[in-house]
């Protein structure tokens, strides 16, 4: 939240559209065998041979999906890639390529875009995906980022949302609610900063949850882990809108019900303590807070021994017949119907 | 430019993100064999077997790329698809799928989005592409449309920008400058409308060029024609930014020069007469006006007899050694260096 007033500002219009894309992507490497031709023609050319491919796309709009007053541009670039790769991994696929389109108002100098693309490049390298195309144009107001991610998968390995069966185990990776609570901390510090711009926030006690918000990691490792464990989930989805909403998606598309145990939901101690500080219920946050980018899956009970004790995977419930409905079973053993309260980007504008 | 004050307005927030996508795409058909799974999971699943695939993406921003005061939403949806398919055809590929993401402010009621999607559906049907995914979110100001198009092509049929050789013929499809002059007419009528809202514009004399602006058609037919004629261009690009800029792209990426004959540039009589009316040079418009979405290609002289006399293809020049540069040869036989004055969306904001 500290601005360097002496930074260099190069106007993007000086470079023009082609010069700009070239400048921003010249260091980007092509590493995937399936990339035949990347940036530089009317379209990229790819070849996947016998594999199936998965395609997913996401649009992020300033003031709706991110706030540049506490989201550094490099982190934003990184996160924009993660949001899309997470959807690829949720298909049990290996992410291979992305296209990145941005629209920017001229309040952004070239140096700001370089930071954004540095984050994109870092993410692409870390997750071994090629940036194969994109479009750079202007916007009348804020920053808009549109990413399409492509992945490859063997035909028999694809996991849809629709394969869950009654008695399958409901399993989630990592822990939940961190990204949402990190956002609460950042929003609070922004208000403090508005009142006293010289105040230096101490974010150390919140380091984990702030990082969950600003620099989430997509669970590429889980796709590999499942392969190593020889477990093919019966259904899978990424947790972008909150656990409750994702469970409902799996149930509706698989035509089953679900029982979720409150006491099994994995929470980081920092989420619990921050929820206490804000006087909000941590289960509510895990159920409805978004942006954790963990994977939620169902697996056959036959596979239980393969995943038992794995620190990356937590069994949080099981699937039921559709007629049984979708419920949270509280610590007090009360049944509460699950409802989708996840973030609705169309609601608040 | 006449608004129906009694139209129904349903707020989009009532439906939510998932409800909205479902509502807008429920009539969309899946026809391509390569589409295994369309909308409704974390990602779409596609399978192309031995074919290569091409991927291209484009971002359109209100007030930058389109003006809703004279661009009907249905036309806009249609055009947004065309812009992307044009890039697929420029690779000599067959377009198969698109993803469509939109961000909208709440000044758009559901009925407006339905019109936009009606145009998208019409285009998808007419060009036989499946809409396989997308994202719907809110924007703080205008309408943003981000489309990614995918196509398939036999490995040996892909045409890049980089294969032109000296002495190859420079060939363009259709005619040029129409979309730009159509825009001039619409801009003029908008100004007239501002002064006198009851004035009914007579666009009949400009029907062709206005249609070139509002409802361009991507040249799918040319990909088929080239196949039928057994002609594989040595290089190809779509004419989106003006002939001059596209010739320069081919030359730079192929490492050759070019000679373009002014008297060979195909112009519709309506372009010529409207240029006269506006007192501007029609060659300048063909060279620098954008959005014609024709295809510009180079073909070997050996193929000349195959294309000779075809009404869809006009030979407008030939490629030279790089050292000879890139020139327009005027009617008066003067050589003028080609320069890229094409539209720069980053320049004027």
């Amino acid at each position: 939240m500290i601005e360097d007033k002496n930074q260099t500002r190069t106007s993007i219009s000086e470079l023009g559209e082609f010069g700009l894309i070239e400048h921003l992507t010249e260091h980007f490497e092509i590493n995937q065998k399936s990339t035949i031709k990347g940036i530089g023609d009317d379209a990229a050319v790819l070849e996947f041979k016998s594999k199936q491919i998965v395609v997913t796309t996401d649009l992020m709009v300033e003031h709706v999906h991110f706030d540049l007053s506490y989201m550094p541009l490099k982190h934003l670039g990184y996160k924009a890639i993660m949001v899309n790769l997470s959807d690829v991994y949720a298909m049990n696929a290996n992410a291979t390529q992305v296209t990145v389109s941005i629209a920017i108002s001229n309040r952004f100098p070239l140096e700001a875009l370089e930071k954004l693309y540095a984050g994109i490049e870092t993410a692409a390298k870390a997750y071994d995906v090629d940036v194969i195309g994109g479009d750079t144009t202007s916007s009348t107001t804020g920053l808009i980022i549109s990413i399409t991610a492509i992945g490859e998968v063997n035909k028999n390995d694809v996991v849809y949302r629709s394969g869950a069966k009654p008695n399958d185990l409901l399993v989630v990776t990592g822990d939940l609610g961190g990204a949402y609570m990190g956002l609460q901390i950042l929003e609070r510090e922004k208000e403090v900063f508005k009142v006293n711009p010289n105040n230096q926030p101490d974010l150390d006690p919140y380091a984990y949850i702030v990082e969950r918000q600003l620099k989430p990691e997509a669970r590429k490792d889980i796709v590999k882990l499942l392969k190593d464990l020889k477990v093919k989930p019966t259904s899978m989805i990424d947790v972008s809108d909150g656990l409750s909403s994702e469970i409902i998606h799996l149930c509706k598309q698989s035509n089953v019900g679900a029982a979720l145990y409150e006491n099994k939901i994995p929470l980081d101690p920092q989420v619990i303590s921050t929820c206490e500080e804000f006087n909000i219920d941590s289960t509510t946050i895990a159920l409805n807070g978004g942006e954790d980018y963990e994977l939620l899956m169902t697996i056959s009970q036959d596979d239980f021994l393969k995943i038992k004790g794995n620190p990356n995977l937590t069994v949080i419930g099981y699937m039921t017949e559709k007629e049984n409905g979708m419920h949270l079973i509280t610590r007090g053993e009360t049944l509460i119907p699950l409802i989708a309260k996840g973030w609705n980007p169309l609601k608040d504008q």
Side-chain angles (χ1 to χ4, degrees), chain A:
Chain A
M1 300 178 198
I2 296 165
E3 216 182 313
D4 175 4
K5 304 285 184 198
N6 299 316
Q7 53 191 327
T8 318
R9 289 180 64 95
T10 310
S11 162
I12 48 168
S13 68
E14 289 170 28
L15 282 163
E17 186 182 351
F18 305 111
L20 183 61
I21 295 177
E22 242 173 62
H23 176 83
L24 293 170
T25 60
E26 62 190 350
H27 303 296
F28 283 33
E29 288 170 14
I30 294 294
N31 291 313
Q32 289 287 341
K33 270 187 204 162
S34 54
T35 308
I36 310 297
K37 169 79 186 176
I39 292 169
D41 215 298
D42 291 277
V45 180
L46 312 176
E47 183 170 5
F48 292 94
K49 306 223 160 81
S50 63
K51 300 216 172 186
Q52 289 192 340
I53 70 165
V54 303
V55 181
T56 176
T57 191
D58 222 67
L59 194 57
M60 292 173 79
V61 180
E62 188 180 350
H63 307 304
V64 178
H65 299 90
F66 54 88
D67 182 332
L68 290 175
S69 63
Y70 50 71
M71 177 58 115
L73 280 160
K74 190 173 171 180
H75 285 69
L76 178 62
Y78 191 92
K79 182 169 177 174
I81 299 293
M82 288 307 119
V83 169
N84 281 276
L85 297 192
S86 182
D87 281 321
V88 171
Y89 301 137
M91 303 302 289
N92 205 28
N94 178 36
T96 46
Q97 287 91 7
V98 291
T99 66
V100 179
S101 292
I102 53 170
I104 30 163
S105 66
N106 65 358
R107 79 178 156 92
F108 292 94
L110 179 62
E111 289 71 18
L113 280 177
E114 285 173 345
K115 282 180 196 149
L116 181 72
Y117 270 78
I120 290 167
E121 190 181 7
T122 304
K125 269 194 181 163
Y127 285 75
D128 197 18
V129 296
D130 295 343
V131 178
I132 54 156
D135 192 16
T136 313
T137 190
S138 64
S139 97
T140 45
T141 50
L143 173 63
I144 298 147
I145 308 174
S146 174
I147 292 181
T148 297
I150 294 171
E152 59 179 18
V153 57
N154 287 321
K155 198 173 172 166
N156 297 326
D157 292 339
V158 188
V159 175
Y160 293 100
R161 294 178 178 176
S162 55
K165 299 268 175 291
N167 299 318
D168 281 353
L169 300 173
L170 185 63
V171 175
V172 74
T173 63
D175 53 71
L176 300 172
Y180 182 86
M181 290 316 295
L183 183 61
Q184 302 316 304
I185 293 295
L186 290 166
E187 293 276 5
R188 185 175 71 182
E189 295 306 326
K190 181 182 171 181
E191 292 309 312
V192 171
F193 179 78
K194 274 187 195 162
V195 177
N196 179 4
N198 292 319
N199 185 64
Q200 286 294 307
D202 179 15
L203 295 178
D204 279 357
Y206 310 105
Y208 175 70
I209 58 174
V210 167
E211 177 138 335
R212 290 288 279 176
Q213 170 60 225
L214 294 183
K215 191 169 174 287
E217 302 290 346
R219 301 306 306 255
K220 176 180 180 163
D221 58 324
I222 297 297
V223 176
K224 185 177 180 303
L225 175 70
L226 291 169
K227 198 156 279 170
D228 292 347
L229 294 173
K230 296 194 170 55
V231 172
K232 182 184 171 185
T234 53
S235 71
M236 188 150 63
I237 190 171
D238 82 318
V239 185
S240 53
D241 295 324
L243 182 61
S244 188
S245 150
E246 314 304 358
I247 291 175
I248 293 171
H249 277 303
L250 291 187
C251 286
K252 286 200 172 161
Q253 296 197 33
S254 296
N255 224 12
V256 293
L260 165 69
Y261 290 99
E262 182 180 19
N263 64 354
K264 300 290 186 190
I265 298 172
L267 300 171
D268 185 85
Q270 233 172 64
V271 170
I272 298 172
S273 61
T274 312
C275 279
E276 280 166 5
E277 190 183 331
F278 278 74
N279 201 22
I280 41 182
D281 177 47
S282 57
T283 300
T284 306
I285 298 310
L287 287 176
N288 303 320
E291 298 196 285
D292 287 319
Y293 301 110
E294 297 294 341
L295 295 174
L296 176 73
M297 66 193 89
T298 55
I299 67 161
S300 162
Q301 297 230 7
D302 299 341
D303 285 331
F304 176 60
L305 286 178
K306 297 180 190 168
I307 65 150
K308 191 182 166 190
N310 191 301
N312 290 291
L313 303 170
T314 307
V315 179
I316 54 174
Y318 63 95
M319 309 315 273
T320 65
E321 296 293 340
K322 188 184 177 186
E323 295 70 45
N324 295 15
M326 302 172 281
H327 293 98
L328 174 76
I329 301 169
T330 66
R331 287 188 183 85
E333 304 215 333
T334 314
L335 262 65
I336 301 177
L338 288 176
I339 29 172
K341 278 194 184 163
W343 188 62
N344 178 357
L346 300 169
K347 203 94 190 177
D348 308 306
Q349 300 302 317

